[in-house]
Amino acid sequence: MAERCAVIGVGQTHHKAKRDDISIAGMVREAAKMALTDADLTWSDIDAVVIGKAPDMFEGSMMPELYLAPALGAVGKPMLRVHTAGSVGGSTSIVAAHLISSGIHQRVLTVAYEKQSDSDAMWALSVPQPFAAPLLAGAGGYFAPHIRAYMRRSGAPEHIGRMVAVKDRLNAIRNPYAHLHLPDIDMKTVEESMMLWDPLRYLEACPSSDGAAAMVLAAEDSVSGSYPPAWIHGMAMRSEPTQFAGRDQVNPQAGRDCSADVYAQAGITNPRAEIDVAEVYVPFSWYEPMWLENLGFCDLGDGWKLTEAGATAFDGDIPWNTSGGVLSSNPIGASGMLRFLEVAMQVRGQAGEHQIDGVSRALGQAYGGGSQFFSMWVLGSDKP
Amino acid sequence: MSAAANADRSVRRPVSIASFAQSDNVRRENERNEVEMLQPVVAEVFANIGIDKDDIHFICSGSTDYLIGGPFSFVTALDAVGVWPPRAESHVEMDGAWALYEAWVLLQEGEIDTALVYSFGRSSPGNLQEILALQLDPYYLAPLWPDPVSLAALQARALLDAGKATEEDFAAIASRSRKDALGNPKAQVSNDISTEALMKDDYVVSPLRRHALPPITDGAAAIVLAAGDKAREWSDNPVWITGFDHRIETHSLGARDLTSSPSTAKAGEVAGVADGAVDVAELHAPYAHQEIILKEALGLGDGVRINPSGGALAANPMMSAGLIRIGEAAARIAAGEAGRAVAHATSGPCLQQNLVCVLEGGE
Amino acid sequence: MAGETTTEELGPVTTLATPIRLDFEFTPGIALSGFLRGLEQGKFIGQRCPKCGKVYVPSRGSCPTDGVPTTEEVELGNAGTVTTYCVVNVPFAGQSIEIPYICAQVLLDKANISFMGLIQEIPTDEIRMGMRVEAVWVDPSELTPTLASVKYFRPNGEPDADYDTYKEYL
Amino acid sequence: MPEGEALHASHVLEYPYSRSVGPVIGAFMTGLRDGKLTGVRGAGGSVIVPPTEYDPTTGDDTGEMVEVGPGGVVESWAWVSDPLPKHPLDKPFAWALIRLDGADTALLHAVDAGGPDQIATGDRVTVRFRPVAERIGSMADIDAFVPEGGAS
């Protein structure tokens, strides 16, 4: 039987386009020390360290966990390095949690980061290789056609994407750690922003950020810190092939299976009713309605209606991305963990200005690659 | 399983190495890409025990993007398995031995019973001496491009200076490894050559001569783990993992005692190496002198058969060489040549990170 | 020695330039080479999975859903259907085409997988899902084993494909 | 397609990474540019060279910067008779772990010793900086270490 596991400490950096004041080690330590302080622990209290990040080419440092081991107090301890593309921050949290739920460790520090400004995100994500297809579209160009496919399937009107862009940025104003703070954003400024990959406009796309996230996870008899623990009620990862005949990239099976698994573990049958807040990987505005459907918050084709009705707004019945989401901060390797971390903050009641009242259950989701890698967890204030 | 191991780790769920496969280890796999290199290995690891991908509950792989100079090589590698319907799957940017550890952790919870672990790497497309320099501190070390052979040579020198070994010892290890590799059809370097003859090799970086270095290898490997009823269903004589741990040291070579491996010693202690007699040890010692350090750290006496496969001196496929040690050690038990074996994997410069897996036959 | 003067003049060091260059010999592998050599001859060559029968163009050597080698070569025609698309309006490093332009997922007839192609000879606001297109190849003397051999796709004048015929490829 | 027919091409992975260094590495690099070697004091009082924001063993924060060197002792060395193209020197040299005077940990750099018989563990070496005009605040500001007394 799996042991109970809880988040007992969270930490993150101030995310910025360029953290030019700090080294990579300094940046991950900023998040890790904050998480330790939150848990009222020191380096020596930690049994193992699990670190995640996206491609090593971002920073030009191969398997950087080797260099970062002493910076994260990992000397003499087990250390694992996870890489599952954009979902990595979520997968890293889950790998760390299993070290506890398996009964092997009592307290695990997990960290994820990306220092994208050391190079260039567009370059690092699509390093040109011989014989490869000419670089036609860039990062957003991969996703824009799927967004169009979603619009066609669901009949969603064009302004839905803009609503998400505005909502998440207004949420970010409440979050002092968010990269983008755009207090003047509204539907009009989004509509007037540059069209990048039609139908996707500049303000509907995520930024490129430097940043790190960290959490301390603990077994039931090792819980510490002043905020209450956020208990893991369910967690899962799912992958499907990148490309295959008949693949549904708008509503990927791996995402549906992953959420079904997590809900089953958490005993959730009606996600919209039973989940108080969700933090979901939405790097392009339209992924909110797409994931609303994929995560079973509504029937197929109805995701955009929830967004339009304000259900996912800060004062809606199922607030999504109270932190400002990936649309407001995107250190790729850490982006998934920031989703997992935000729901821990919500459950623990430590989210300050972006706290939703009375959160007892929350869903964190991350996805990566071409929507083929998924990781999710459900946290709750009650012991599972 | 020994009583002592049981007493110490009574909460641990027995997990077996149900199947192991590896590609030929070659200097240059110049035709097939990663998927094409890996696919037959995955097919073989299933065929060995008559299962297919639908019997697998969890998949974990180990690889690194830098070997071929393009991001996300692990993503396309999944095509070698065919992850449809979608699977619980994860990837470590580490040797496959750590992927196996992650899978073993998951199996401890008892929710699932089987896992596929694989790793792959082609070192031949690039210049490994330069690529591995990028594993070093990106501010103080990598800009100087210290190559892994030079760093290993610093460690070998420290060992010689400490009076813990001689250059002849390095050659003797290479001689024994190559001779043993004659019995390993997957080995890349194998011959019957004496220590004296090897001592005539030139230095590559003094004090390391050619024979003390690992070959540059392209290859892939896979293991299927099974627990519970599946373990017995897939084997009449399961090989059990009875102890498993890994530890990392500081990165700064100048803050370490390079002549010892406290991380290996600690991992060995937690894994319970000393809880019973060890018949065979498969040690991931890419450089000959590192075997001496590892033997000491694990407290392995002269009666222990070291690297009957020929070890990493006979084939050192990046990201798989550690996983292969576990597969080879399990194979010795499955073949009835050993009752209890230790497998070890390493990563990073001068044995910075080490993993120890104890394997036992019997019920 | 320069002493403090240097720092006073230049300020403290805040960044470090660490240029990295690595050289590789790259191979796309055997199956993909077959596809690329086809391009060099002005042909689309795919491979069929022996298990599910789906045709992958290109194939990377293993059926992504079955995990078995794709071995049977299948030559495909020039015509296909736009399953979905976007209009690229953003300049980025490595871009070789004047913006705005259309990027579309093109599903070649008889293939079971689409790939991204450039659509030309049509105003960007006239592109639509289901449009029938054909490959325009570069001059035979310029054919190479890369997708650059396909200059672009253009409308082939056939009526739009029915949504049901390509909806599984979205 | 039969074996032996895969295509091949050269592939260059190249990027001019630019790293922010932060205060501790920055102080060391600034020192190099000024012709000085610096370390940082760890929580237990030991002096760590090259300096990091953290103690290399405990992970604890480090403290004040202290000047070390310019001389030190070779703790281990390896002789490179055929330098690789990216190595810091283009003639035969030794990589060495050098514990600088005043330091408790060793620094890795090249020693321009002349020949393998000119260097041994325990030897004293001293830093040789590049000319002021060539120094930019990087490890390459150290041209190499040389045997104390100037053997080569």
Side-chain angles (χ1 to χ4, degrees):
Chain A
M1 267 304 288
E3 306 286 328
R4 291 190 181 104
C5 175
V7 180
I8 62 163
V10 300
Q12 63 185 307
T13 56
H14 287 277
H15 314 298
K16 288 184 175 166
K18 192 167 170 59
R19 282 297 306 265
D20 54 8
D21 58 322
I22 209 163
S23 68
I24 296 170
M27 192 177 78
V28 297
R29 282 169 64 79
E30 189 176 302
K33 288 199 290 186
M34 187 174 164
L36 287 174
T37 302
D38 186 18
D40 199 16
L41 299 173
T42 63
W43 299 113
S44 59
D45 297 316
I46 297 297
D47 299 329
V49 178
V50 183
I51 187 167
K53 69 178 297 295
D56 291 355
M57 279 149 207
F58 269 115
E59 296 86 359
S61 185
M62 178 188 185
M63 299 160 73
E65 64 279 7
L66 295 166
Y67 139 69
L68 289 171
L72 291 170
V75 172
K77 299 170 187 172
M79 186 172 198
L80 288 167
R81 156 70 193 288
V82 181
H83 177 13
T84 62
S87 66
V88 64
S91 316
T92 303
S93 313
I94 289 175
V95 172
H98 279 300
L99 291 176
I100 288 168
S101 53
S102 61
I104 291 170
H105 294 303
Q106 293 293 298
R107 296 184 199 91
V108 175
L109 171 68
T110 184
V111 182
Y113 76 96
E114 211 72 70
K115 197 153 188 309
Q116 301 190 189
S117 70
D118 278 12
S119 71
D120 172 86
M122 199 88 106
W123 172 83
L125 288 174
S126 53
V127 173
Q129 284 182 298
F131 307 111
L135 195 56
L136 280 179
Y142 182 88
F143 294 103
H146 305 310
I147 290 170
R148 185 171 301 281
Y150 171 73
M151 293 165 80
R152 165 75 189 252
R153 280 195 205 175
S154 67
E158 272 185 27
H159 68 270
I160 299 299
R162 296 198 285 275
M163 286 186 72
V164 176
V166 171
K167 174 196 63 119
D168 284 4
R169 267 52 170 272
L170 291 178
N171 286 349
I173 295 167
R174 301 167 178 270
N175 178 1
Y177 296 97
H179 170 183
L180 296 182
H181 285 136
L182 306 171
D184 298 328
I185 195 166
D186 58 19
M187 295 291 279
K188 193 152 173 291
T189 50
V190 177
E191 190 171 2
E192 286 170 356
S193 69
M194 190 181 161
M195 184 67 88
L196 302 179
W197 299 278
D198 194 344
L200 204 61
R201 290 182 184 275
Y202 177 74
L203 282 172
E204 291 178 88
C206 56
S208 170
S209 317
D210 286 351
M215 291 187 285
V216 178
L217 307 177
E220 186 172 2
D221 49 12
S222 295
V223 163
S224 60
S226 47
Y227 286 101
W231 298 98
I232 298 174
H233 288 201
M235 55 181 169
M237 295 186 268
R238 280 295 184 286
S239 306
E240 66 183 45
T242 308
Q243 296 185 56
F244 63 92
R247 173 157 191 243
D248 186 345
Q249 300 207 49
V250 173
N251 186 19
Q253 183 73 40
R256 293 193 305 245
D257 291 1
C258 192
S259 59
D261 187 351
V262 171
Y263 296 156
Q265 291 175 46
I268 290 171
T269 52
N270 181 345
R272 182 171 176 182
E274 296 172 64
I275 291 170
D276 301 316
V277 57
E279 186 76 17
V280 176
Y281 206 105
V282 176
F284 304 106
S285 59
W286 280 94
Y287 276 77
E288 173 173 303
M290 285 161 68
W291 293 151
L292 275 165
E293 296 172 28
N294 189 250
L295 290 169
F297 278 69
C298 58
D299 289 337
L300 219 52
D302 286 350
W304 64 271
K305 294 174 190 165
L306 265 64
T307 298
E308 188 175 48
T312 58
F314 197 82
D315 57 0
D317 69 294
I318 39 153
W320 268 37
N321 294 334
T322 44
S323 73
V326 181
L327 281 171
S328 305
S329 313
N330 186 32
I332 292 182
S335 287
M337 187 173 288
L338 289 169
R339 312 283 71 75
F340 278 46
L341 179 152
E342 170 71 11
V343 295
M345 292 177 74
Q346 291 288 345
V347 168
R348 303 174 79 211
Q350 63 179 151
E353 291 283 301
H354 51 111
Q355 179 69 48
I356 299 292
D357 288 340
V359 172
S360 64
R361 273 227 277 210
L363 167 72
Q365 177 258 29
Y367 86 97
S371 312
Q372 76 272 39
F373 301 122
F374 290 84
S375 54
M376 303 177 193
W377 77 9
V378 168
L379 301 182
S381 50
D382 294 334
K383 253 183 224 179
Chain B
M1 213 178 303
S2 72
N6 251 342
D8 269 351
R9 283 166 291 284
S10 53
V11 293
R12 299 285 179 266
R13 183 188 192 203
V15 172
S16 77
I17 308 282
S19 180
F20 164 56
Q22 61 180 316
S23 67
D24 288 336
N25 290 295
V26 297
R27 173 63 185 86
R28 197 176 294 279
E29 171 53 72
N30 212 13
E31 291 293 307
R32 296 181 296 169
N33 62 21
E34 282 65 23
V35 175
E36 291 166 330
M37 184 171 73
L38 183 60
Q39 195 279 330
V41 177
V42 172
E44 184 185 336
V45 85
F46 289 160
N48 283 344
I49 49 174
I51 64 166
D52 63 32
K53 64 190 174 79
D54 295 333
D55 293 306
I56 296 297
H57 301 155
F58 178 66
I59 300 168
C60 197
S61 63
S63 68
T64 175
D65 285 342
Y66 258 105
L67 289 182
I68 59 161
F72 303 119
S73 50
F74 67 93
V75 174
T76 45
L78 270 178
D79 289 355
V81 184
V83 284
W84 188 257
R87 294 303 151 87
E89 187 266 341
S90 186
H91 170 261
V92 292
E93 197 87 353
M94 309 176 84
D95 186 287
W98 279 268
L100 189 104
Y101 181 84
E102 183 183 329
W104 175 80
V105 167
L106 218 60
L107 288 167
Q108 293 307 306
E109 291 173 30
E111 307 286 332
I112 60 168
D113 295 327
T114 66
L116 168 70
V117 176
Y118 64 84
S119 57
F120 58 93
R122 285 190 304 134
S123 300
S124 65
N127 180 339
L128 206 53
Q129 298 285 84
E130 293 182 352
I131 290 170
L132 289 177
L134 294 183
Q135 280 187 338
L136 304 170
D137 179 310
Y139 308 93
Y140 290 133
L141 294 174
L144 297 172
W145 296 91
D147 56 283
V149 177
S150 293
L151 298 182
L154 284 169
Q155 184 178 36
R157 171 84 58 202
L159 206 61
L160 296 173
D161 287 340
K164 287 183 166 185
T166 65
E167 292 185 43
E168 283 76 12
D169 293 337
F170 306 165
I173 287 166
S175 171
R176 189 208 68 223
S177 299
R178 291 180 182 199
K179 211 171 292 176
D180 284 336
L182 288 168
N184 176 3
K186 302 289 188 182
Q188 179 186 355
V189 180
S190 59
N191 54 20
D192 190 347
I193 185 163
S194 68
T195 302
E196 295 70 36
L198 287 175
M199 282 301 287
K200 295 190 179 112
D201 278 0
D202 289 333
Y203 288 116
V204 178
V205 176
S206 159
L208 293 180
R209 298 172 200 269
R210 177 68 58 192
H211 60 252
L213 274 51
I216 293 171
T217 312
D218 292 352
I223 282 177
V224 171
L225 292 178
D229 293 343
K230 285 289 177 195
R232 292 172 198 286
E233 187 185 320
W234 291 347
S235 172
D236 296 332
N237 288 302
V239 177
W240 302 103
I241 296 172
T242 58
F244 210 164
D245 194 52
H246 61 101
R247 302 281 154 164
I248 196 165
E249 291 176 37
T250 196
H251 183 65
S252 172
L253 297 176
R256 286 174 54 192
D257 170 10
L258 294 178
T259 69
S260 67
S261 183
S263 56
T264 304
K266 176 76 178 171
E269 182 193 322
V270 175
V273 170
D275 293 349
V278 177
D279 302 315
V280 162
E282 279 283 343
L283 307 179
H284 184 195
Y287 297 87
H289 67 271
Q290 293 174 339
E291 180 180 306
I292 297 165
I293 297 169
L294 294 169
K295 260 185 82 174
E296 181 191 272
L298 291 168
L300 301 176
D302 289 339
V304 180
R305 180 97 164 82
I306 306 288
N307 290 350
S309 69
L313 290 173
N316 190 38
M318 285 293 299
M319 317 313 286
S320 298
L323 184 65
I324 289 171
R325 302 280 74 74
I326 298 173
E328 290 284 2
R332 297 289 79 74
I333 294 174
E337 296 163 28
R340 189 164 184 270
V342 171
H344 158 268
T346 196
S347 176
C350 300
L351 303 173
Q352 188 193 342
Q353 188 175 23
N354 296 284
L355 170 148
V356 177
C357 181
V358 179
L359 300 161
E360 291 179 46
E363 63 293 352
Chain C
M1 268 191 214
E4 316 307 297
T5 353
T6 322
T7 297
E8 274 169 27
E9 284 166 8
L10 302 172
V13 174
T14 58
T15 57
L16 180 67
T18 59
I20 294 174
R21 180 196 161 113
L22 297 169
D23 289 84
F24 297 87
E25 193 193 0
F26 180 87
T27 181
I30 295 165
L32 206 51
S33 291
F35 168 74
L36 294 166
R37 287 191 198 283
L39 295 175
E40 199 172 17
Q41 298 161 34
K43 295 188 290 199
F44 291 113
I45 306 225
Q47 289 193 339
R48 191 189 308 276
C49 171
K51 214 164 169 182
C52 64
K54 305 282 189 192
V55 173
Y56 282 87
V57 55
S59 167
R60 284 190 294 256
S62 183
C63 173
T65 55
D66 292 308
V68 298
T70 52
T71 42
E72 183 199 340
E73 285 200 349
V74 182
E75 187 176 334
L76 300 159
N78 260 347
T81 301
V82 168
T83 61
T84 184
Y85 65 94
C86 76
V87 178
V88 179
N89 271 295
V90 60
F92 54 84
Q95 197 175 37
S96 52
I97 310 142
E98 200 179 324
I99 54 170
Y101 58 88
I102 304 160
C103 257
Q105 290 295 133
V106 176
L107 179 69
L108 291 176
D109 295 351
K110 288 196 259 178
N112 296 102
I113 192 98
S114 64
F115 58 84
M116 193 170 274
L118 177 70
I119 310 289
Q120 301 263 276
E121 297 191 25
I122 179 177
T124 55
D125 58 356
E126 286 179 28
I127 181 75
R128 42 192 193 271
M129 291 166 69
M131 180 176 276
R132 294 284 294 158
V133 292
E134 65 186 9
V136 177
W137 297 80
V138 298
D139 188 85
S141 64
E142 292 169 6
L143 286 167
T144 56
T146 72
L147 267 172
S149 288
V150 181
K151 221 166 160 183
Y152 51 78
F153 289 85
R154 68 180 172 204
N156 71 353
E158 291 175 15
D160 284 4
D162 189 41
Y163 182 61
D164 285 339
T165 65
Y166 63 87
K167 71 174 183 192
E168 282 179 19
Y169 297 94
L170 288 176
Chain D
M1 171 146 296
E3 296 267 338
E5 296 208 11
L7 292 159
H8 297 91
S10 60
H11 165 46
V12 179
L13 179 72
E14 185 169 23
Y15 200 86
Y17 292 91
S18 175
R19 309 186 186 287
S20 53
V21 290
V24 177
I25 300 170
F28 180 81
M29 296 301 180
T30 304
L32 289 183
R33 203 178 56 189
D34 291 345
K36 288 188 295 200
L37 294 164
T38 44
V40 70
R41 203 173 292 284
S46 62
V47 173
I48 297 146
V49 182
T52 47
E53 298 93 326
Y54 47 88
D55 183 286
T57 305
T58 63
D60 290 333
D61 286 347
T62 48
E64 52 164 352
M65 306 296 297
V66 286
E67 194 167 341
V68 294
V73 177
V74 171
E75 293 209 320
S76 188
W77 59 282
W79 188 256
V80 180
S81 48
D82 295 302
L84 301 174
K86 290 185 163 89
H87 278 168
L89 295 177
D90 56 10
K91 59 178 172 178
F93 71 98
W95 288 108
L97 287 166
I98 300 156
R99 191 161 47 78
L100 293 163
D101 297 339
D104 293 288
T105 65
L107 169 89
L108 180 76
H109 215 290
V111 177
D112 185 4
D117 49 352
Q118 312 275 315
I119 183 169
T121 300
D123 279 3
R124 285 197 58 82
V125 292
T126 193
V127 68
R128 181 174 77 202
F129 282 105
R130 283 181 189 280
V132 172
E134 292 176 19
R135 299 207 292 255
I136 55 169
S138 84
M139 288 301 272
D141 290 358
I142 299 173
D143 185 43
F145 284 79
V146 291
E148 215 166 69
S152 59

